[in-house]
Amino acid sequence: MSVAARPLFALDNSYVRELEGLYEPWQATPAPAPRLLAFNEELASELGADADALKAPDGVAVLVGNATPDGASPVAQAYAGHQFGGFSPRLGDGRALLLGEVLDVHGRRRDLHLKGSGRTPFARGGDGKAAVGPMLREYVLGEAMHALRIPTTRALAVVATSDQVARETMLPGAVLTRVAASHLRVGTFQYAAAHDDPTLVRRLADHAIARHHPHAAEAENPYLAFFEGVVDAQASLVAGWMLVGFIHGVMNTDNMTISGETIDYGPCAFMEAFDPATVFSSIDHGGRYAYGNQPHMAQWNLARLAETLLPLFNVETDTAVAAATDVLRSFSDRYHGYWGHGMRAKLGLADGQGEDEALIDDLLALLHAQRVDFTSCFRVLSSSVLGDGARARSLFAEPSAFDAWADRWQAQLSSQASDPQAIAEAMDRVNPVYIPRNHQVEEALAAASAGDLRPFRLLLDVLARPFDERPGLEPYAEPAPPSFGAYRTFCGT
Ligand code: AMP
Ligand code: MG
């Protein structure tokens, strides 16, 4: 008697069951000679999956799209989106498939999704493919964000396809398996609202409520409470980005999730010298998605979400608009609440002190004026708390202005009850030593694309514990050398 093999995943398909009209059933394009490049053991065990089975040839065939796992119902998801402010009514997964949903070991529903798995009905002019470099980039940046405790989609695996992908040059192809709380986007609501079926937005909102904001179902106005939940999740998310210097780079409405997870690691990068105008994306000429503009753009995107929900808020348009506007306006207070709390923690300040805001603003102004590395500065401040002010001082070309600020800051700290050791330790738990430094990421990806995965694996290991300073890893804590030049990142990878 043969024993049935344990299925790779126990898949459910609530999206497909509940949201007809928002997808096209589709199959991946077979990929020749797949090779597993990167596999996320920790995430696999969180999903309750058998890692060894996934890494074996039958598992890799699933991860690259050559085999459909039992229980999967693969679809390309439909969505619209405002891209750099211009509306596209039909984007959708041009090169990606939702395989289904897994209930993880904590009982959370997680999407399993392939990216780079071939053209779909939404591909428009695209080739449906992805290259090794950008998929490993998504992997390493997502893992870095996760370790920094910022909500994010994550990579389960990257599989090389031995396909050649035509970009500026020919590049080795790859498929990424992405895990997300869901792939519901602001653009999903925009797509639903732009279609003739008046019940579609409601079905989508009900699905999103059950999945991400179940408390909203109990509210007097569930759809307004749902909107409020999304506004709050995004305020918290973007505050998290700002506190570590993350620049998403392409905050189009199709790249903003309803869950509050970071999604779409295209042209994103971490800021080094503090400057709110920092932009890395080669196509962001106007600075729409500059570091300092991210909270504003999040609120702009949320206004687009509100527009799709107005008929659900109230049958009277004026009443609906007034209610939506109130919630939308609350974004600022929510954002400043999260950001202020995070900034005070970075400076070791207890919540609710009078002078805090001026201290925060003045330090940022100094970092900007003297082009100081954001991450390094916050990290070394714990040494100042312990009596060694030289490390922080050395980051400033004109230290006297910093000294004056540091005196005020130290005075504020000494008025608090906690002892310096406890303050310094708490600061080190929120100020990372290691972030994905642009030059390190590029080096690791270039090596990986040429067949050497060691620098990539080392970088992953460094970024998995960003708050623990480890001897020997000093180069990973340094900003790029001047020879690295101005950093440019790209969409449409
Ligand atoms: P992104 O810039 O990754 O957010 O993608 C924007 C839109 O373009 C989405 O609808 C993608 O599915 C689609 N897209 C991006 N690259 C490709 C590609 N190589 N082939 C087909 N569709 C693509
Ligand atoms: Mg996208």
Side-chain angles (χ1 to χ4, degrees):
M1 195 178 83
S2 69
V3 179
R6 188 179 147 212
L8 288 168
F9 300 103
L11 287 167
D12 187 32
N13 304 284
S14 72
Y15 185 91
V16 169
R17 240 185 354 261
E18 297 171 13
L19 297 175
E20 198 179 344
L22 290 177
Y23 58 82
E24 300 276 353
W26 203 251
Q27 296 291 327
T29 304
R35 245 175 342 111
L36 189 61
L37 295 183
F39 184 80
N40 195 332
E41 302 273 350
E42 182 208 307
L43 184 54
S45 67
E46 205 173 294
L47 294 176
D50 179 341
D52 290 332
L54 276 173
K55 290 188 287 186
D58 285 355
V60 173
V62 165
L63 297 172
V64 79
N66 286 349
T68 306
D70 286 346
S73 183
V75 296
Q77 291 176 297
Y79 49 87
H82 274 89
Q83 300 184 302
F84 287 90
F87 186 61
S88 295
R90 187 181 155 95
L91 292 169
D93 288 335
R95 55 168 170 175
L97 291 177
L98 174 66
L99 291 180
E101 303 138 18
V102 181
L103 287 186
D104 74 10
V105 295
H106 306 294
R108 294 174 304 192
R109 185 174 291 266
R110 316 274 291 268
D111 274 4
L112 214 58
H113 178 102
L114 301 181
K115 180 167 172 180
S117 52
R119 300 191 73 225
T120 76
F122 301 103
R124 295 168 289 148
D127 61 6
K129 296 180 183 177
V132 165
M135 294 308 100
L136 289 178
R137 191 168 198 280
E138 173 151 349
Y139 191 128
V140 70
L141 280 151
E143 288 308 287
M145 293 291 268
H146 174 72
L148 291 167
R149 306 183 203 103
I150 295 174
T152 179
T153 66
R154 295 178 70 185
L156 177 63
V158 174
V159 181
T161 61
S162 73
D163 247 353
Q164 289 291 305
V165 183
R167 296 292 180 261
E168 276 181 17
T169 57
M170 296 304 280
L171 298 171
V175 174
L176 171 88
T177 307
R178 179 158 72 184
V179 174
S182 84
H183 285 79
L184 303 179
R185 306 152 190 263
V186 170
T188 316
F189 281 80
Q190 291 180 292
Y191 183 93
H195 282 73
D196 288 337
D197 177 359
T199 68
L200 192 52
V201 177
R202 185 182 294 268
R203 273 195 286 137
L204 176 57
D206 289 341
H207 177 90
I209 288 172
R211 198 152 174 189
H212 299 301
H213 302 282
H215 62 277
E218 316 301 326
E220 195 183 326
N221 186 331
Y223 301 110
L224 197 61
F226 161 65
F227 179 53
E228 193 171 340
V230 182
V231 167
D232 197 69
Q234 284 293 334
S236 170
L237 176 66
V238 177
W241 293 354
M242 300 299 283
L243 291 166
V244 297
F246 177 77
I247 304 173
H248 184 282
V250 61
M251 291 175 68
N252 295 333
T253 56
D254 51 302
N255 291 335
M256 183 186 256
T257 59
I258 299 303
S259 66
E261 284 184 343
T262 310
I263 195 170
D264 211 322
Y265 289 89
C268 65
F270 281 70
M271 176 176 64
E272 297 206 318
F274 180 78
D275 182 351
T278 306
V279 169
F280 293 115
S281 168
S282 59
I283 60 167
D284 191 0
H285 305 296
R288 181 181 172 91
Y289 300 134
Y291 171 76
N293 219 21
Q294 297 186 114
H296 174 70
M297 288 322 309
Q299 194 178 20
W300 191 91
N301 289 346
L302 291 163
R304 306 289 80 76
L305 175 63
E307 285 162 2
T308 72
L309 295 167
L310 286 176
L312 300 182
F313 292 159
N314 202 289
V315 288
E316 300 288 342
T317 303
D318 290 351
T319 313
V321 169
T325 305
D326 275 351
V327 175
L328 191 61
R329 285 212 177 111
S330 76
F331 178 88
S332 283
D333 280 350
R334 292 171 198 268
Y335 170 75
H336 282 108
Y338 288 120
W339 181 83
H341 178 74
M343 268 294 167
R344 286 190 290 277
K346 287 173 85 68
L347 291 173
L349 299 168
D351 262 335
Q353 303 284 318
E355 234 246 310
D356 290 358
E357 269 184 43
L359 276 173
I360 293 166
D361 293 348
D362 294 349
L363 177 63
L364 294 178
L366 277 174
L367 296 185
H368 188 190
Q370 302 200 32
R371 298 199 59 75
V372 177
D373 185 75
F374 181 77
T375 304
S376 306
C377 181
F378 278 97
R379 180 67 188 197
V380 297
L381 285 176
S382 62
S383 303
S384 301
V385 174
L386 297 175
D388 173 14
R391 289 182 73 192
R393 237 180 151 255
S394 72
L395 297 174
F396 290 81
E398 292 163 40
S400 59
F402 173 72
D403 291 340
W405 177 87
D407 287 346
R408 286 163 55 209
W409 172 56
Q410 295 276 10
Q412 180 83 355
L413 287 180
S414 49
S415 74
Q416 294 177 190
S418 317
D419 73 284
Q421 189 68 39
I423 292 175
E425 282 171 15
M427 287 171 70
D428 283 350
R429 285 196 293 271
V430 294
N431 291 313
V433 196
Y434 310 112
I435 55 162
R437 296 283 180 180
N438 302 322
H439 64 298
Q440 301 274 7
V441 171
E442 291 305 318
E443 256 178 60
L445 298 184
S449 297
D452 178 8
L453 283 156
R454 282 171 306 178
F456 171 79
R457 293 196 178 119
L458 193 53
L459 185 60
L460 267 183
D461 177 63
V462 170
L463 297 172
R465 285 158 53 203
F467 302 102
D468 302 342
E469 195 163 349
R470 284 177 276 167
L473 298 184
E474 290 77 10
Y476 289 93
E478 293 290 323
S483 59
F484 185 63
Y487 190 46
R488 279 283 155 267
T489 57
F490 302 93
C491 291
T493 51

